[in-house]
Structure formats: structure tokens, C-alpha cells
């Protein structure tokens, strides 16, 4: 199993001013993934880790774009949620369950609960103002940089859907992916232990 | 009026009791006394008005669209029941404070449910709406289920609780149907209106009444549905005293009495009530006579008395109504006093068995005196309330009184009544002797003296029975108030100690003598009981029924849930072919559906050749998936097919659908790869021979069906598409993406329902996969440094747990 030290490269020794580039200057100074442990599938792939690191923020931003633009263009809460959860799935594929756990904003069931709270809150909120359930309202504001921007109450509802979808996928991934991985690790540890005991028993006295 | 608030007070106190019991222990039951005591006081304060024929009413709208309102109406009958439910209830709650020990498990829950039960029972007897009555009725069933099953670690208790629930709540359902029928044909769901103007001409009325009586009989433990009541005796004794003496079981009697003024003359009401009442009296009395457990003796005695009450309540004459109130109050007082006595005996001696008790009467003279007073009231000895009630009951069926029955029938009922009363005297004496007598053959039992407050409750109730019997004119107005609801027949009858030398007095004397002889010759009676053939036991019938349901359920499950995915899929597909498929073929054969393209319309193969390419991709991947033997390539082929379908969406101008499909395809593929790690590399068994041919045939047929029906359906449009109406609506809502506007705005409630399903599915998946272990993966998102540490620790831990085990082995 690899340790984080492998990634950091040797210390910078060649700063003596001999004109040559410092030794190990091309070694990366940071790990690509936050935990840097073995992924779930096969050996580590630097390519995948780099891609994940570069892509994940972009994917998340894109998912928010889809969520916001869903009012007028293809997108919406469901699709946005799927895209956002794909970012986490990519993180899991690249770095395994510890990496997934490190990157999760909150526990999947908390996400689900928050999403349900937002969705049902938007559903009942109009009742407080004497309207019917789930009635929507929109507001157009002129903002300095963005120009005319439309805010619709649907967006809040869609945000709830977004969070629920992310929560669903994360809970499925952590149940079917991470949990199984953990069990495999446990089984491996048990085998290891059994082998050690055998060795101790059979060893010379 | 205050009554709805009093019921709400019960609920509020029930919530409060749980933390209170945690702090104060059983003493918190004193707080539980407050709502019933207040209710009883409130009822007493209004009693003069109520018995004068001015019922107290109030109404709260609840579900106006369905005619369901919380209407309350307290008349004389309700007053009697409220005095029992709340008055006796308050005494019993006070007794609970001394009965339970501090360490009792689940005491908070017990106290809370007991008060809830009292509130529900109060609702049953005071509401004037059939639906509200049903709701309160089932609430009492549910709360009594919780109370009977109080000791939930005992299998007996759980079984008895389920039995009581299945019987009382299960037979409550036909009663609900009866209520709805009655309300529909009567044009009102208000009980007082229905009783005042019964829909007598309606042919459905007898059906409705029979259905209602079934529910009432089940609740009041009438034979052959009486089996649950003795079983329910597993509950703590105060609970038995309250539920099975004072309150819940009287629910059925109350309902019969409530409806009797309007419906007693409708066939087959009287026949049913008299037959089952009499049967219950005799069966209960006979079985009570041979019980060894004091509590069970009382339970069967209660069954017998409930038969008497049902019989009287259903007869429907003023005299019977008077007798109903007399016996109702008498029974509530003496039976709860006796149950509480048994509780004290059980608490102080540790047993309730007649065979093990001896000399208790000498040690606890006050308690014995009170209990003997109560038992005497049960036997019908003057000057107790039981005697007054029994006299009135006998009077109902005497030849001189108009009972609404043919003389022969009245004579038969009277004979049954006298016979059952003899049994009552027999088991009353047996109870007093069994609990307090000094038996030569049994060693004296050690008895510790109960606290004064503990023994006070049964004593108070017994003395109350004596007082009410000695001063019957205090109770009589209530009885007269209820009797006024019936058509007057003959001269009025009052509850009194002395009516002169009447035939009823003669019968009472006869009953007492015969009962005393029954006890005197108890050895012979016991032999006779042993020699009697074992009748088919009602309880065995219940178990047979439950067992039969289990067997059928298991068979059906085994048949339908084979555990094989291909079989499930096959069942679904065969159903699809058998129902809509056959219909489609029939429609095609008869020419009911227009076949597009047949009438000279041009059939287009594709809009653009690109569609052909995508279709080819789909076909090729589909065929390849079916022929693939390894799981992983099959999965990849299936996802490729999914992407092909997404491509079709793009070509047809549905970017939203395509986007969603692509994302879902991607995610499912990845998640399925996770699962594939656990599965063998290739599909295990693949069908061969006939199985294979059948599978191919089925799949081909289903595919053809789907294709043909889609082709026909898309051409079958006769109306303008609904989507065109959405365009202006979307503009109004301020959005341009129709699909999303539909999802999030027009049909947002559907979407909301769907996300609830998603959330449920997420929780279910997680819990199903994690089911096998209680420990959940450490998802506490530790930082990278902690993570490494954690890993090292884990390794060390493995080593540590390994080493000692090895050492242990070596030594």
C-alpha cells in the first residue's frame, strides 16, 4: 500500500545556485486526492486521480448550472443532482471509500433529510400566505452585473430534489460500494490474522 | 361545554405521565387520577339537568365534507357510563400508585396508555357521531392491546394482546360497514337523530344492525367470541379491573343500549341479543364455577355478567332499561372491587390460586369484609346494588310485565336467567371461600399487611355498592332518565329494595338457596363438570382460524416468491400477455382498432437515416447482450443500448430526456459494476432445451406485443395533445423549458411524491445492504491525517488481537 510520502517527492536539495534546476523539481508537491489511499478497483491510476482532481469541481459547478438553468433550458433538479453525484462516484472510483468519505459534504441520510425538508417546506410555505400547496411565484430583479435575473420559487423546490438525488446516489454508493469494500478488507484482515496464528503455532518453540 | 376539553386533558396528561413516572415512579399515578376525577365531578355537577331529560351537548367540526364531526351528547345512559369510566377509573388509578413497584418495566408507557384509554372510552360513551364513535372505539382496542401486552417479554402476553386486538378491532370493521349503511339509509350520522327517527322501512336496516351487533358482541365478549377476555387477564390486575370490569368490555353493551330505543323492535335484533346474551351468561357462569385462579374466575364471571347486560340492554322496554342501568352500575362497582381485591391478595401473598390460599380472611379482615360485600352484591343479596339490579332484571321477563316477547320466549329467557343466576351465586360463594376461607387441607399462607391506601380502593368501591343498594333512589333517576327513551308499557318500574312480596323476590330466594346448595355440593358439581363432554372450545376455533390464515399465506408466498428473478420476470410478462395482450389480439381480430398505414397512408421508415444507424446500434447490442455469457460484457452492452436510446431522444428533439437517460445509464452502470464484484464472472445456469425455447418464445411474444401496441397507440390519437395547452401556461409561470415546468410546477405534487419514494428507496437500500451487520461503515469524514492514523491503528489492532489469541493458544 502506498503512503503519502511517495507523492510528495524528495526534499528540495539542489538550491545551491549551481545553475542546474533543483533536484526533484518536477515531483508534485501535493497529492492529487486528499487521502491518497488505494482505490477500490485495482492499482492506483495517476491519470484517473489527476482527472478526478481537475474534473470534480468543474462537474459540481456544472451541476449547479444545470439546476439553475432548468427553468428555461434542459436541466433541472433531477439532472443536476445526477451530475453532482457522478462527481462523487468519480471520486470513489479514483480513491476508494476513504476518499469518498473525505469528500462527502455530509452523511447521505442528512442530505436526504435536508432535501426532504426543503422540498416539503416549499410545498407548504404558500399555505402560510393563504395560497394553495406548491403554488409558485417568480420575481425578476435587475442586478448590476448579471442584468435582469429571474428568481422562481420553483428553484427552491428543485434544490430539494437535487439534494435528495445526491443523497440517494451517495447512500447507494456507500452501501453497495464502500460497505462491500470494507467487508472485503475485513475478510482480508481476518485471513491475515488466521495465517499469523498458524505461523505462531507451527513455529519453533 | 367542557367535555371535549376533558378528553383532550386525558391526552395531555398521558403525554406528561411518561417523564413524570421516570421522576416520581408509581406515585405519578396520582396525577393520572386528575382527568377522570375531574370528568366524574363534571358529570355529577350536570347530573340533575341530565336526568331531568336535558342532555348536555357540544359539537366541533372535524371533517365537514364527510359528515364527520366531533359531536358530544351526555344523556342519562352516558352519565351512568361516565360515572363508571371516570369515577371507577379515578379510584383504580389511585390504587395503581400503591400496586406497582418502582422498578416496574415500562411503567411510564403503562400509565400513559391507561390514561389515553380512559380518554378514548370517555369519547366512546359521549360522542353522538357514528364515525367519531368508531374512531374512539378502535382507539380503545389499540390501547387495550398495548395494556394487555404490557409485559411484552412474555410470549403469553403478546399472544393474548394480539388475540384481543384481532377479535375486537377485527370485528370492528363489519361494524364500521354497518355504521355507514345505517347512516346512509337513515340520512344522518348523528346517533341521537337516528334513534329518534329510525329508518324502519328500509330493507337494508336489518343488515346494518346485524353488522353493528357483531362488533358490539366482539367487544363485549359474547359467546362464541368470549375467548379473548379470559386470555386478556394476563394484564396487570388494575388494568384488568379497569378494562375488563368497568370500562372497555362495556363498550359493546353501551352500543346496544344506545341503539336499543330505536331499533329493538327490528328483526332480528331481539332474537340475536337474547340468544347470544343467554348463551354467554350460561357458558361464562358454568366455566367460572370450575376456575382455580381467582382472576380467571372473575373473568369468566364477567363474561357471564356481560351476557346478562347485553340481554337486558337489547330487550328494549322501560323495565329492561331500568334494569340495565341498575346492573351496569352494580357490576362496575362490585367487579372492580373484586378485581382490586385479587390484586391485593396477589401482591401480598404471591398467589391467586384457590388451592394455595388459606386463612387470608383472618389476616385481612377489612379487605375480606369488603370483598364479601362485593361478592354478595354479585350474588344478588340484599341490601346491595346487585340485588336491586337482579330484581329488576327478573322483573323484565315475568309474565305480568310486557317484555315485547311471546310468552313462551319470555318464559324460556326467564328460565335461562334464573339458571345462570344460580351459577352466579355459586361462583360468588366459591370466590369468597376460595380467597378468604380457611381450608383444612391447605397450609396457611403467609400474608403481609397491605398499606392502608392500597386496600382502601376495593373497600371504597364495595362500600359504594352497599350505599347505592341501601339508597336505591339515588341511582333510580338515572335509570328512569334512560328508560324514558322507550315506549312506556304497563306501569313504571323503579329501582328499589322492597317491592312487596313479588314473584321476583320469590325467584331471588330460590336462586340464593340453589346457589348455596351448588356450593355445598361442590364436590359433586366438580365431578359433573369433569364428566361433561368437552365442547368445542371457542379459543381453539380462533387458533384454528389464525393457523389456517398462516398456512394459506405461506402457501401463496411459496408459490409466488420463489426467489428466482427469471421466474418473477416470467410471471410479470405472462400477465402482460394474458391480460392486455389477449385484449389486443381480440381487438385486432375483430377490427376494432384502426391499423395505421393500412388505409393507404404512407409508412415512413425513418425521418433521417441517422435514426436507422441508432436503431441498428440498439438491435445489435440487444442481440449481443442476450448471447453474452459473461456478466461484465453483458452489462456494458446493455448500457451501450441505453445510450443508443438516448440518441433516439436527441434525434427526436428531446434533449431533457436524453440528458436524464444518459446520466441514469451511467450511474446504474457504475453501481452495477460495484455489485458485479460480488457475483460470479459468468451467468451460472442458462436454460436449455424446452426451458430455453419457452423463454425465447415468451420474450419474442412480449417484444412483438410491445412493438405492435406502441405502433397502434401512437396512431390512435383522437384528441389534441395535452402538451399544447401547457405552452401558454408555461409562459404564465415564467419558464421556457416545458418538461421542467411540468415536473416542478404544474405537476409538482407528483414530483414531490416521487422524491419521497426516492428518499424511501435510499433508506431501504442502505438498510437492506447493511442489514447483516449492526456496525455501519465509518463515514465520519475524518481529515487525511486522521485517516492515516486510523489506518495504522487498524493495522496495530489487527496485530494486537492476533497476538493474544496466539499466546492463548500456546499456553
Amino acid at each position: 500500500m502506498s503512503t503519502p510520502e511517495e507523492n510528495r517527492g524528495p526534499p528540495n536539495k539542489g538550491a545551491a545556485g549551481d545553475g542546474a534546476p533543483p533536484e526533484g523539481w518536477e515531483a508534485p508537491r501535493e497529492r492529487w486526492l486528499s487521502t491518497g489511499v488505494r482505490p477500490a478497483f485495482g492499482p492506483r491510476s495517476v491519470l484517473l486521480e489527476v482527472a478526478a482532481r481537475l474534473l470534480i469541481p468543474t462537474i459540481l459547478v456544472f451541476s449547479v448550472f444545470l439546476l439553475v438553468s432548468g427553468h428555461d433550458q434542459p436541466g433541472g433538479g433531477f439532472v443536476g443532482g445526477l451530475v453532482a453525484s457522478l462527481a462523487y462516484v468519480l471520486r470513489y472510483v479514483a480513491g476508494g471509500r476513504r476518499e469518498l468519505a473525505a469528500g462527502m459534504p455530509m452523511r447521505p441520510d442528512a442530505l436526504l433529510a435536508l432535501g426532504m425538508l426543503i422540498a416539503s417546506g416549499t410545498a407548504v410555505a404558500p399555505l402560510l400566505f393563504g395560497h394553495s400547496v406548491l403554488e409558485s411565484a417568480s420575481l425578476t430583479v435587475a442586478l448590476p452585473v448579471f442584468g435582469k435575473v429571474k428568481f422562481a420559487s420553483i428553484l427552491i423546490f428543485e434544490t430539494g430534489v437535487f439534494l435528495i438525488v445526491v443523497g440517494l446516489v451517495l447512500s447507494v454508493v456507500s452501501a453497495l460500494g464502500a460497505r462491500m469494500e470494507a467487508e472485503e478488507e475485513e475478510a482480508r484482515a481476518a485471513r491475515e490474522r488466521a495465517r499469523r496464528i498458524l505461523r505462531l503455532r507451527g513455529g519453533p518453540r | 361545554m367542557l367535555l371535549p376539553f376533558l378528553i383532550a386533558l386525558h391526552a395531555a396528561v398521558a403525554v406528561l405521565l411518561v417523564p413524570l413516572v421516570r421522576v416520581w415512579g408509581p406515585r405519578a399515578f396520582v396525577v393520572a387520577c386528575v382527568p377522570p376525577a375531574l370528568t366524574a365531578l363534571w358529570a355529577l355537577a350536570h347530573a340533575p339537568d341530565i336526568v331531568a331529560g336535558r342532555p348536555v351537548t357540544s359539537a366541533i367540526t372535524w371533517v365537514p365534507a364527510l359528515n364527520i364531526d366531533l359531536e358530544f351528547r351526555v344523556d342519562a345512559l352516558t352519565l351512568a357510563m361516565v360515572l363508571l369510566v371516570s369515577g371507577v377509573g379515578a379510584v383504580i388509578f389511585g390504587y395503581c400508585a400503591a400496586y406497582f413497584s418502582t422498578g416496574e418495566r415500562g411503567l411510564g408507557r403503562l400509565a400513559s396508555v391507561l390514561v389515553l384509554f380512559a380518554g378514548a372510552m370517555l369519547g366512546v360513551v359521549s360522542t353522538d357521531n357514528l364515525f367519531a364513535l368508531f374512531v374512539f372505539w378502535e382507539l380503545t382496542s389499540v390501547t387495550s392491546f398495548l395494556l394487555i401486552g404490557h409485559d411484552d417479554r412474555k410470549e403469553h402476553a403478546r399472544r393474548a394482546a394480539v388475540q384481543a386486538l384481532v377479535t375486537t378491532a377485527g370485528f370492528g370493521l363489519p361494524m364500521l360497514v354497518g355504521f355507514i349503511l345505517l347512516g346512509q339509509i337513515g340520512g344522518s350520522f348523528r346517533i341521537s337523530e337516528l334513534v329518534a327517527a329510525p329508518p324502519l322501512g328500509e330493507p337494508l336496516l336489518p343488515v346494518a344492525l346485524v353488522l353493528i351487533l357483531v362488533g358490539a358482541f366482539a367487544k363485549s365478549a359474547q359467546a362464541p367470541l368470549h375467548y379473548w377476555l379470559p386470555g386478556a387477564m394476563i394484564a396487570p390486575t388494575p388494568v384488568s379491573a379497569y378494562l375488563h370490569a368497568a370500562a372497555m368490555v362495556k363498550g359493546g353493551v353501551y352500543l346496544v343500549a344506545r341503539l336499543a330505543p330505536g331499533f329493538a323492535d327490528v328483526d332480528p335484533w331481539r332474537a340475536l341479543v337474547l340468544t347470544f346474551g343467554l348463551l354467554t351468561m350460561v357458558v361464562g357462569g358454568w366455566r367460572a364455577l370450575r376456575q382455580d385462579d381467582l382472576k380467571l374466575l372473575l373473568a369468566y364471571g364477567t363474561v357471564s355478567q356481560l351476557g346478562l347486560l347485553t340481554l337486558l340492554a337489547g330487550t328494549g322496554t322501560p323495565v329492561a332499561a331500568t334494569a340495565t342501568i341498575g346492573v351496569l352500575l352494580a357490576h362496575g362497582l362490585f367487579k372492580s372491587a373484586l378485581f382490586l381485591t385479587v390484586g391485593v391478595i396477589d401482591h401480598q401473598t404471591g398467589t391467586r390460586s384457590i388451592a394455595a390460599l388459606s386463612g387470608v380472611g383472618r389476616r385481612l379482615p377489612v379487605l375480606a369484609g369488603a370483598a364479601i360485600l362485593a361478592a354478595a352484591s354479585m350474588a344478588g343479596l340484599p341490601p346491595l346494588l346487585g340485588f336491586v339490579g337482579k330484581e329488576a332484571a327478573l322483573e323484565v321477563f315475568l309474565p305480568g310485565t310486557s317484555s315485547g316477547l311471546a310468552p313462551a320466549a319470555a318464559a324460556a329467557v326467564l328460565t335461562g336467567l334464573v339458571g345462570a343466576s344460580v351459577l352466579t351465586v355459586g361462583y360468588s360463594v366459591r370466590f369468597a371461600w376460595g380467597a378468604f376461607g380457611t381450608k383444612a387441607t391447605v397450609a396457611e399462607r403467609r400474608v403481609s399487611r397491605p398499606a392502608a391506601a392500597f386496600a382502601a380502593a376495593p373497600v371504597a368501591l364495595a362500600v359504594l355498592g352497599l350505599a347505592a343498594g341501601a339508597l336505591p333512589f339515588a341511582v333510580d333517576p338515572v335509570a328512569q332518565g334512560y328508560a324514558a327513551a322507550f315506549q312506556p308499557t304497563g306501569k313504571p318500574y323503579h329501582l328499589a329494595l322492597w317491592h312487596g312480596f313479588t314473584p321476583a323476590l320469590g325467584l331471588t330466594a330460590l336462586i340464593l338457596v340453589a346457589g348455596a346448595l351448588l356450593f355445598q355440593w361442590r364436590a359433586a358439581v366438580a365431578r359433573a363438570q369433569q364428566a361433561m363432554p368437552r365442547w368445542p372450545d371457542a379459543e381453539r376455533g380462533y387458533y384454528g382460524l389464525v393457523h389456517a390464515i398462516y398456512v394459506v399465506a405461506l402457501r401463496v408466498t411459496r408459490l409466488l416468491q420463489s426467489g428466482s428473478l427469471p421466474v418473477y420476470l416470467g410471471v410479470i410478462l405472462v400477465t402482460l400477455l394474458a391480460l392486455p395482450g389477449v385484449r389486443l389480439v381480440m381487438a385486432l381480430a375483430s377490427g376494432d382498432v384502426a391499423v395505421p398505414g393500412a388505409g393507404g397512408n404512407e409508412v415512413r421508415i425513418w425521418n433521417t437515416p441517422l435514426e436507422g444507424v441508432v436503431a441498428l446500434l440498439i438491435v445489435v447490442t440487444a442481440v449481443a447482450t442476450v448471447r453474452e455469457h459473461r456478466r461484465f460484457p453483458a452489462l456494458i452492452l446493455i448500457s451501450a443500448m441505453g445510450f443508443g436510446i438516448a440518441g433516439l431522444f436527441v434525434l427526436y428533439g428531446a434533449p431533457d430526456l436524453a440528458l436524464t437517460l444518459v446520466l441514469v445509464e451511467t450511474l446504474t452502470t457504475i453501481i452495477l459494476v460495484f455489485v458485479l464484484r460480488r457475483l460470479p464472472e459468468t451467468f451460472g445456469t442458462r436454460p436449455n432445451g424446452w426451458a430455453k425455447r419457452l423463454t425465447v418464445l415468451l420474450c419474442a411474444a412480449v417484444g412483438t406485443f410491445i412493438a405492435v401496441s406502441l405502433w397502434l397507440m401512437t396512431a390512435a390519437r383522437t384528441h389534441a395533445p395535452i402538451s399544447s395547452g401547457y405552452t401558454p401556461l408555461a409562459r404564465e409561470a415564467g419558464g421556457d423549458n416545458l418538461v421542467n415546468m411540468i415536473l416542478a410546477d404544474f405537476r409538482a405534487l407528483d414530483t414531490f411524491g416521487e422524491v419521497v419514494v426516492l428518499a424511501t428507496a435510499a433508506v431501504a437500500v442502505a438498510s437492506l445492504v447493511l442489514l447483516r451487520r449492526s456496525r455501519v461503515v465509518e463515514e465520519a469524514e475524518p481529515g487525511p491525517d486522521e485517516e492515516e492514523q486510523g489506518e495504522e491503528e487498524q493495522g496495530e489492532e489487527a496485530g494486537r488481537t492476533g497476538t493474544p489469541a496466539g499466546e492463548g493458544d500456546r499456553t
Side-chain angles (χ1 to χ4, degrees):
Chain A
M1 191 179 286
S2 57
T3 57
E5 272 68 36
E6 280 177 33
N7 297 336
R8 290 201 183 116
N12 197 349
K13 282 187 212 155
D18 50 0
E23 207 176 318
W25 60 274
E26 71 272 285
R29 282 174 184 75
E30 272 185 84
R31 286 173 299 167
W32 289 108
L33 292 178
S34 57
T35 61
V37 291
R38 215 177 69 90
F41 302 95
R44 297 178 67 175
S45 152
V46 175
L47 215 57
L48 189 59
E49 283 185 22
V50 173
R53 169 158 180 162
L54 291 178
L55 282 180
I56 285 168
T58 322
I59 298 176
L60 288 178
V61 171
F62 179 59
S63 76
V64 175
F65 166 76
L66 280 178
L67 167 70
V68 176
S69 75
H71 201 51
D72 295 327
Q73 266 147 49
F78 188 74
V79 171
L82 285 178
V83 170
S85 41
L86 271 174
Y88 289 102
V89 171
L90 176 63
R91 209 180 158 97
Y92 171 67
V93 171
R97 68 191 165 98
R98 287 171 197 284
E99 181 61 34
L100 177 70
M104 247 188 239
M106 53 173 92
R107 292 165 52 98
D109 35 2
L111 272 176
L112 284 172
L114 187 63
M116 283 307 300
L117 202 66
I118 291 175
S120 44
T122 359
V124 266
L127 286 180
L128 298 180
F129 305 100
H131 299 281
S132 56
V133 172
L134 279 165
E135 204 168 297
S136 63
S138 67
L139 176 73
T140 310
V141 194
L143 285 184
V145 182
F146 300 96
K148 266 178 138 184
V149 177
K150 194 164 58 191
F151 291 100
S153 65
I154 300 173
L155 188 63
I156 309 176
F157 183 73
E158 294 256 21
T159 311
V161 176
F162 180 98
L163 290 178
I164 288 173
V165 171
V166 176
L168 167 78
V169 177
L170 283 187
S171 75
V172 169
V173 169
S174 47
L176 291 179
R179 175 69 218 167
M180 280 191 183
E181 195 189 326
E183 276 179 7
E184 271 163 24
E185 260 173 36
E186 264 170 40
R188 204 180 306 133
R191 272 202 303 278
E192 195 71 27
R193 219 162 30 233
R195 206 175 302 139
R196 202 175 309 164
I197 290 167
L198 271 180
R199 214 180 299 139
L200 280 171
R201 223 186 250 161
R205 296 207 161 211
Chain B
M1 92 177 193
L2 266 174
L3 195 62
F5 296 101
L6 287 171
I7 294 178
L9 181 68
H10 281 82
V13 169
V15 174
L16 265 180
L17 271 175
V18 179
L20 272 186
V21 167
R22 211 168 292 145
V23 181
W24 289 348
R27 271 172 298 169
F29 271 101
V30 176
V31 180
C33 284
V34 172
L38 280 180
T39 313
L41 287 178
W42 173 86
L44 279 178
H46 284 78
D49 262 5
I50 293 167
V51 296
R54 290 188 296 276
V56 184
T57 59
S58 85
I60 300 170
T61 19
W62 185 14
V63 193
L66 292 176
N67 267 334
I68 303 177
D69 290 321
L70 287 172
E71 294 153 338
F72 295 98
R73 185 168 182 278
V74 180
D75 60 4
L77 175 62
T78 301
L79 178 66
M81 285 299 295
V82 169
L83 289 180
L84 278 185
V85 170
S86 300
V88 177
V91 175
I92 291 175
F93 291 172
Y95 171 91
C96 284
Y99 180 83
F100 289 108
S101 53
T102 314
E104 178 82 20
R105 198 170 140 271
L107 194 58
R109 181 187 57 189
L110 182 85
S112 159
V113 176
L114 206 55
V115 176
L116 268 185
F117 172 83
M121 200 61 211
L122 192 59
V124 167
V125 299
S126 62
T127 182
D128 198 22
N129 185 287
L130 284 177
F131 288 118
L133 173 69
F134 178 76
V135 170
F136 285 121
W137 181 281
E138 295 292 281
L139 266 179
T140 62
S141 292
V142 172
T143 42
S144 79
F145 163 78
L146 294 172
L147 290 171
I148 295 170
H150 168 63
D151 196 352
D152 51 9
R153 285 174 303 187
K154 272 196 204 135
E155 201 203 333
H156 277 310
R158 293 199 305 266
R159 202 189 301 151
V162 169
Q163 197 180 36
L165 184 72
V166 166
T167 310
T168 58
F171 284 96
L173 296 178
M175 189 183 75
L176 177 63
V177 177
F179 281 171
I180 294 171
L181 262 180
L182 186 63
Q184 287 292 333
I185 58 181
S188 166
F189 286 97
R190 205 175 252 242
I191 301 169
S192 53
E193 283 174 15
L194 282 169
V195 171
L200 291 177
E202 297 284 343
L204 277 177
L205 182 60
V207 181
L209 290 180
V210 168
L211 288 173
I212 293 174
L213 281 182
V214 167
F217 284 177
K219 192 79 152 186
S220 280
Q222 300 295 297
L225 301 176
H226 63 277
Y227 51 83
W228 67 265
L229 184 55
M233 287 302 135
I234 195 130
T237 302
V239 173
S240 305
Y242 191 42
L243 266 67
H244 309 124
M248 173 170 124
V249 289
K250 296 236 171 71
V253 174
Y254 165 78
L255 186 61
V256 170
R258 170 58 67 209
L259 296 178
F263 302 101
D265 291 326
V266 180
D267 280 334
W269 173 284
R270 213 168 254 143
L272 283 177
V273 169
L274 293 179
T275 313
F276 283 101
L278 213 52
L279 180 70
T280 310
M281 273 190 84
V282 175
V283 168
W286 181 251
R287 295 200 63 173
L289 212 49
R290 70 161 181 243
Q291 297 304 323
D292 175 58
D293 185 332
L294 288 174
K295 211 169 152 187
L296 272 184
L297 189 154
L298 288 181
Y300 279 106
T302 307
V303 170
S304 167
Q305 297 279 332
L306 286 170
L308 172 65
L309 275 166
T310 307
L311 182 148
L312 290 174
T315 302
T317 61
V319 185
T322 313
T324 307
I325 299 289
V327 177
L328 192 73
L329 290 174
H331 179 248
L333 288 174
F334 68 67
K335 196 51 72 67
S336 47
L338 290 176
F339 266 116
L340 296 186
T341 307
V342 173
V344 175
I345 292 176
D346 194 7
H347 197 271
Q348 307 301 126
T349 68
T351 180
R352 304 192 296 248
S353 168
I354 290 179
L357 287 167
S358 180
V360 178
R362 226 177 320 136
R363 301 288 177 85
L364 308 172
V366 179
L367 185 71
I372 288 168
L373 214 56
S377 182
M378 178 153 78
L381 234 61
L384 293 144
L385 192 55
F387 166 76
V388 175
K390 190 65 72 68
E391 284 273 276
L394 290 170
E395 181 74 25
V396 177
F397 300 100
L398 279 176
T401 320
S402 156
S403 60
L405 295 174
V413 174
L414 188 63
T415 315
L417 203 61
V418 170
S421 302
V422 172
L423 293 175
T424 308
V425 177
Y427 70 72
S428 301
V429 181
R430 185 178 157 82
F431 175 85
W433 164 80
F436 299 106
T438 307
K439 292 154 210 157
T441 53
V442 184
E444 284 221 357
R445 192 88 194 164
R446 280 172 53 90
V447 185
S448 51
R449 190 160 290 281
F454 187 26
V459 173
L461 289 169
V463 169
L464 210 58
L466 175 67
L471 313 166
F473 43 84
V475 179
D476 190 52
V478 182
Q480 297 308 320
Y482 173 52
F486 295 89
Q487 293 287 328
T489 52
K491 64 180 171 54
Y493 181 88
H494 291 274
L495 292 178
L497 269 180
W498 182 250
H499 290 280
F501 290 101
T502 54
L505 190 66
L507 284 176
T508 306
L510 178 73
I511 289 167
L512 289 175
V513 171
L517 287 179
L518 204 60
F519 176 73
Q520 190 63 38
W521 297 333
R522 56 181 179 274
V525 172
R527 271 198 301 279
Q529 286 210 324
Q530 290 298 328
M532 287 287 280
R534 286 251 162 201
W535 291 342
D537 199 334
E539 185 160 14
R540 216 168 294 159
Y542 166 82
Y543 283 122
L545 185 73
V546 170
H547 184 70
I549 291 173
Y550 277 139
V551 167
V552 171
L554 278 179
R555 288 231 175 104
V556 170
T557 312
R558 217 170 288 152
L559 196 70
L560 296 181
Q561 304 286 312
S562 61
S564 155
L565 285 178
V567 169
Y568 291 160
L569 203 57
V571 168
I572 295 171
L573 295 184
V574 166
T575 316
L576 187 70
L577 281 182
L579 299 173
V582 169
R583 181 79 190 84
L584 182 75
V585 171
M586 278 164 58
L588 277 177
S590 64
D592 281 349
V593 282
V595 179
N601 290 342
E602 185 205 352
V603 177
R604 250 182 305 165
I605 298 178
W606 54 54
N607 289 329
T608 66
L610 266 180
E611 282 170 29
V613 175
V614 174
L616 189 71
L617 171 76
I618 295 174
V619 170
V620 168
T621 47
V623 172
T625 311
V626 174
R627 298 188 58 80
E628 182 55 64
H629 287 236
R630 292 159 299 168
R631 286 180 202 264
F632 188 73
L635 174 64
I636 299 299
L637 283 169
I638 282 195
S639 7
M641 187 169 70
F643 285 120
I645 292 173
L648 269 191
F649 283 136
V650 172
L651 291 178
Y652 273 97
D656 263 295
L657 289 185
L659 183 59
T660 313
L661 187 60
V662 165
L663 290 170
V664 170
E665 265 319 317
T666 316
L667 262 175
T668 43
T669 308
I670 296 172
I671 290 172
L672 280 178
V673 169
F674 296 161
V675 179
L676 280 188
R677 283 187 290 176
R678 277 298 174 87
L679 295 176
E681 215 164 285
T682 57
F683 292 107
T685 52
R686 293 178 70 89
N688 274 320
W690 271 111
K692 182 172 182 176
R693 266 167 240 166
L694 208 65
T695 313
V696 169
L697 197 68
L698 180 68
C699 293
V702 171
T704 316
F705 164 69
I706 298 278
V708 170
S709 50
L710 274 180
W711 179 47
L712 295 179
M713 273 188 241
T714 44
R717 184 184 291 288
T718 53
H719 291 282
I722 194 169
S723 52
S724 56
Y726 280 137
T727 320
L729 281 177
R731 207 152 295 138
E732 191 186 322
D736 293 333
N737 182 351
L738 256 188
V739 176
N740 265 332
M741 293 312 292
I742 293 173
L743 280 179
D745 196 338
F746 306 147
R747 308 205 60 88
L749 195 61
D750 292 4
T751 310
F752 184 66
E754 282 152 18
V755 295
V756 172
V757 172
L758 277 190
T760 318
V763 174
V765 166
S767 47
L768 275 180
V769 174
L770 301 180
L771 191 63
R772 286 184 297 148
R773 299 265 185 85
S774 54
R775 203 171 59 83
V776 184
V777 201
E778 55 279 46
E779 236 103 50
E781 62 240 73
D785 294 348
E786 284 171 27
E787 193 57 41
E788 286 157 23
Q789 254 180 11
E791 220 149 62
E792 279 162 25
E793 265 172 23
Q794 218 178 31
E796 270 175 31
E797 204 172 81
R800 254 183 272 134
T801 47
T803 323
E807 279 170 359
D809 277 351
R810 260 194 297 190
T811 48

